[in-house]
């Protein structure tokens, strides 16, 4: 019996740590993993929330959207195009496209 409790404690702590490292609630996932150690496997395979937050913000509805999104998936607002300087020919081109001047991948 004691051994089961220790196993659940370890699963709970591990679940909390994994959740925290992925930007999810460590308390929620810690408790869930404590009572259902199977949740540890679920949180382990869940995508990190941080990946979404490292995108950009919609200019209209302020929600987090993927960095290379042209249209906001929530409100359909067209996003301002990011222009960068081509390191090869020094012309200003759209990010994530090949340079229209020299064909260099950006
Ligand atoms: Zn939007
Ligand atoms: Zn170029």
């Amino acid at each position: 019996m004691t051994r089961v409790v220790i196993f659940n404690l370890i699963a709970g702590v591990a679940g909390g740590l994994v959740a925290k490292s992925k930007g999810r609630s460590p308390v929620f996932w810690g408790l869930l993993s404590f009572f259902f150690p199977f949740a540890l496997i679920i949180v382990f395979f869940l995508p990190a929330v941080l990946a979404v937050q490292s995108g950009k913000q919609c200019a209209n509805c302020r929600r987090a959207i993927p960095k290379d999104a042209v249209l906001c998936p929530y409100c359909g607002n067209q996003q301002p195009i990011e222009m960068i300087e081509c390191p090869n020919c020094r012309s200003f081109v759209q990010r994530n496209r090949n340079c229209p001047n020299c064909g260099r991948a950006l």
Side-chain angles (χ1 to χ4, degrees):
M1 184 59 202
T2 318
R3 195 183 284 181
V4 173
V5 171
I6 290 169
F7 173 76
N8 280 30
L9 265 178
I10 293 168
V13 171
L17 287 176
V18 172
K20 193 166 183 252
S21 74
K22 296 196 174 203
R24 293 179 182 276
S25 168
V27 177
F28 173 77
W29 284 102
L31 282 173
L32 201 65
S33 304
F34 177 78
F35 290 110
F36 310 101
F38 185 70
L40 181 60
I41 299 160
I42 298 170
V43 72
F44 194 80
F45 285 106
L46 276 177
V49 176
L50 289 173
V52 178
Q53 288 171 346
S54 71
K56 62 181 178 183
Q57 214 177 29
C58 171
N60 185 43
C61 69
R62 302 273 153 215
R63 285 198 236 204
I65 57 173
K67 199 184 257 179
D68 55 354
V70 180
L71 290 174
C72 172
Y74 302 106
C75 69
N77 186 55
Q78 191 162 6
Q79 301 303 307
I81 297 160
E82 244 183 298
M83 302 297 276
I84 55 165
E85 192 179 10
C86 172
N88 196 35
C89 67
R90 302 278 158 213
S91 61
F92 279 92
V93 293
Q94 202 176 324
R95 188 185 278 281
N96 296 327
R97 297 284 153 85
N98 286 0
C99 173
N101 269 347
C102 64
R104 188 188 160 116
L106 295 166

